[in-house]
Amino acid sequence: MNDIKAIVYTSNAGHTREYARLLSEAAGIPAIDLKDAEKQLPLASEVICMGWLMAGNVQGYKQAAARYTVKAVCGVGMSRTNQEQDIRKANALPEDMPVFYLQGGYEKSRLHGLMYRMMMNMVNGSAKKKLLAKTQLTEEDKELLEMIDKGKSTVSADKLQPVLSWYRD
């Protein structure tokens, strides 16, 4: 994977940016915000694309794919549950494209954009109602409730191991 020139990412609340930084340090390739990449990377450069998830869509993927050669995609979301197949389907990614899901977190105070805050208030209100209606909560349910109520980051270098294994092969 020595031809990969950068990790390009889009982050709203900072979880994807933190994963991009951690991957950059571990892999020895630069992490560049997608907005800045246009000035720094030539067209068709091979990249890893990382973006936060909204309704299964990896934010920034379409823009990155239009400009660069995306070699792998990493979606960052709230849940523990692996969402790689949903990401592949929602973004119409080819079967041979490596796709990774990374649990990031949710911290309302770190969200940028009024629209996203309003949308997340509605989504999280609905999710919280469903969770509280359950007779028994799983550990993942409890973690999701904690994220909704108090905010929480689960970003960890350990969660990047599958991406690093793919990159080093």
Side-chain angles (χ1 to χ4, degrees), residues 17 33 42 56 62 86 95 99 103 106 127:
R17 178 178 43 251
D33 187 294
K62 286 182 182 177
D86 294 336
E95 283 302 315
V99 176
Q103 184 187 24
Y106 174 74

PDB file of all heavy atoms in Angstrom, residues 17 33 42 56 62 86 95 99 103 106 127:
ATOM      1  N   ARG A  17     -11.694  13.100  12.752  1.00  0.00           N
ATOM      2  CA  ARG A  17     -10.393  13.786  12.726  1.00  0.00           C
ATOM      3  C   ARG A  17      -9.399  13.081  13.658  1.00  0.00           C
ATOM      4  O   ARG A  17      -8.241  12.872  13.304  1.00  0.00           O
ATOM      5  CB  ARG A  17     -10.548  15.258  13.130  1.00  0.00           C
ATOM      6  CG  ARG A  17      -9.233  16.017  13.172  1.00  0.00           C
ATOM      7  CD  ARG A  17      -9.371  17.508  13.540  1.00  0.00           C
ATOM      8  NE  ARG A  17     -10.292  17.756  14.624  1.00  0.00           N
ATOM      9  CZ  ARG A  17     -11.492  18.344  14.495  1.00  0.00           C
ATOM     10  NH1 ARG A  17     -11.911  18.736  13.312  1.00  0.00           N
ATOM     11  NH2 ARG A  17     -12.258  18.522  15.546  1.00  0.00           N
ATOM     12  N   ASP A  33      -7.610  17.198   6.015  1.00  0.00           N
ATOM     13  CA  ASP A  33      -9.030  17.498   5.907  1.00  0.00           C
ATOM     14  C   ASP A  33      -9.366  17.615   4.413  1.00  0.00           C
ATOM     15  O   ASP A  33      -8.610  18.212   3.647  1.00  0.00           O
ATOM     16  CB  ASP A  33      -9.337  18.809   6.631  1.00  0.00           C
ATOM     17  CG  ASP A  33     -10.822  19.083   6.705  1.00  0.00           C
ATOM     18  OD1 ASP A  33     -11.442  19.301   5.638  1.00  0.00           O
ATOM     19  OD2 ASP A  33     -11.368  19.101   7.814  1.00  0.00           O
ATOM     20  N   PRO A  42      -2.376  16.062  -5.614  1.00  0.00           N
ATOM     21  CA  PRO A  42      -2.700  16.060  -7.048  1.00  0.00           C
ATOM     22  C   PRO A  42      -3.935  15.185  -7.322  1.00  0.00           C
ATOM     23  O   PRO A  42      -4.228  14.249  -6.572  1.00  0.00           O
ATOM     24  CB  PRO A  42      -1.467  15.446  -7.699  1.00  0.00           C
ATOM     25  CG  PRO A  42      -0.399  15.439  -6.668  1.00  0.00           C
ATOM     26  CD  PRO A  42      -1.065  15.492  -5.332  1.00  0.00           C
ATOM     27  N   GLY A  56     -25.954   6.254   7.031  1.00  0.00           N
ATOM     28  CA  GLY A  56     -25.137   5.262   6.333  1.00  0.00           C
ATOM     29  C   GLY A  56     -24.181   5.836   5.305  1.00  0.00           C
ATOM     30  O   GLY A  56     -23.315   5.131   4.809  1.00  0.00           O
ATOM     31  N   LYS A  62     -18.102  10.975  -1.705  1.00  0.00           N
ATOM     32  CA  LYS A  62     -18.365  11.301  -3.112  1.00  0.00           C
ATOM     33  C   LYS A  62     -17.379  12.343  -3.624  1.00  0.00           C
ATOM     34  O   LYS A  62     -16.874  12.222  -4.740  1.00  0.00           O
ATOM     35  CB  LYS A  62     -19.804  11.784  -3.294  1.00  0.00           C
ATOM     36  CG  LYS A  62     -20.817  10.679  -3.197  1.00  0.00           C
ATOM     37  CD  LYS A  62     -22.221  11.178  -3.424  1.00  0.00           C
ATOM     38  CE  LYS A  62     -23.214  10.042  -3.263  1.00  0.00           C
ATOM     39  NZ  LYS A  62     -24.590  10.493  -3.413  1.00  0.00           N
ATOM     40  N   ASP A  86     -23.732  -2.099   5.482  1.00  0.00           N
ATOM     41  CA  ASP A  86     -24.635  -0.961   5.294  1.00  0.00           C
ATOM     42  C   ASP A  86     -23.901   0.200   4.621  1.00  0.00           C
ATOM     43  O   ASP A  86     -24.457   0.879   3.752  1.00  0.00           O
ATOM     44  CB  ASP A  86     -25.218  -0.497   6.628  1.00  0.00           C
ATOM     45  CG  ASP A  86     -26.130  -1.540   7.254  1.00  0.00           C
ATOM     46  OD1 ASP A  86     -26.675  -2.390   6.520  1.00  0.00           O
ATOM     47  OD2 ASP A  86     -26.308  -1.504   8.486  1.00  0.00           O
ATOM     48  N   GLU A  95     -17.579  -4.310  -4.371  1.00  0.00           N
ATOM     49  CA  GLU A  95     -17.313  -5.417  -3.437  1.00  0.00           C
ATOM     50  C   GLU A  95     -15.834  -5.560  -3.088  1.00  0.00           C
ATOM     51  O   GLU A  95     -15.497  -6.041  -2.015  1.00  0.00           O
ATOM     52  CB  GLU A  95     -17.853  -6.737  -4.003  1.00  0.00           C
ATOM     53  CG  GLU A  95     -19.345  -6.881  -3.866  1.00  0.00           C
ATOM     54  CD  GLU A  95     -19.851  -6.793  -2.427  1.00  0.00           C
ATOM     55  OE1 GLU A  95     -19.260  -7.414  -1.522  1.00  0.00           O
ATOM     56  OE2 GLU A  95     -20.859  -6.100  -2.225  1.00  0.00           O
ATOM     57  N   VAL A  99     -13.756  -1.760   3.263  1.00  0.00           N
ATOM     58  CA  VAL A  99     -14.623  -0.865   4.028  1.00  0.00           C
ATOM     59  C   VAL A  99     -14.461  -1.198   5.502  1.00  0.00           C
ATOM     60  O   VAL A  99     -14.481  -2.364   5.890  1.00  0.00           O
ATOM     61  CB  VAL A  99     -16.105  -1.040   3.609  1.00  0.00           C
ATOM     62  CG1 VAL A  99     -17.027  -0.184   4.476  1.00  0.00           C
ATOM     63  CG2 VAL A  99     -16.292  -0.714   2.139  1.00  0.00           C
ATOM     64  N   GLN A 103     -16.250   2.900  15.621  1.00  0.00           N
ATOM     65  CA  GLN A 103     -17.138   3.582  16.561  1.00  0.00           C
ATOM     66  C   GLN A 103     -16.430   4.836  17.055  1.00  0.00           C
ATOM     67  O   GLN A 103     -15.297   4.772  17.538  1.00  0.00           O
ATOM     68  CB  GLN A 103     -17.490   2.686  17.741  1.00  0.00           C
ATOM     69  CG  GLN A 103     -18.478   3.349  18.680  1.00  0.00           C
ATOM     70  CD  GLN A 103     -18.725   2.554  19.947  1.00  0.00           C
ATOM     71  OE1 GLN A 103     -17.880   1.755  20.361  1.00  0.00           O
ATOM     72  NE2 GLN A 103     -19.867   2.775  20.569  1.00  0.00           N
ATOM     73  N   TYR A 106     -20.500  10.445  20.315  1.00  0.00           N
ATOM     74  CA  TYR A 106     -21.450  11.518  20.113  1.00  0.00           C
ATOM     75  C   TYR A 106     -21.305  12.496  21.263  1.00  0.00           C
ATOM     76  O   TYR A 106     -21.349  12.102  22.432  1.00  0.00           O
ATOM     77  CB  TYR A 106     -22.880  10.977  20.058  1.00  0.00           C
ATOM     78  CG  TYR A 106     -23.912  12.081  19.997  1.00  0.00           C
ATOM     79  CD1 TYR A 106     -24.112  12.805  18.837  1.00  0.00           C
ATOM     80  CD2 TYR A 106     -24.672  12.401  21.117  1.00  0.00           C
ATOM     81  CE1 TYR A 106     -25.045  13.824  18.777  1.00  0.00           C
ATOM     82  CE2 TYR A 106     -25.608  13.415  21.064  1.00  0.00           C
ATOM     83  CZ  TYR A 106     -25.791  14.127  19.900  1.00  0.00           C
ATOM     84  OH  TYR A 106     -26.706  15.133  19.844  1.00  0.00           O
ATOM     85  N   ALA A 127     -34.388   7.459  19.311  1.00  0.00           N
ATOM     86  CA  ALA A 127     -33.581   6.305  19.748  1.00  0.00           C
ATOM     87  C   ALA A 127     -33.681   6.119  21.264  1.00  0.00           C
ATOM     88  O   ALA A 127     -33.830   4.989  21.749  1.00  0.00           O
ATOM     89  CB  ALA A 127     -32.125   6.496  19.343  1.00  0.00           C
TER      90      ALA A 127
END
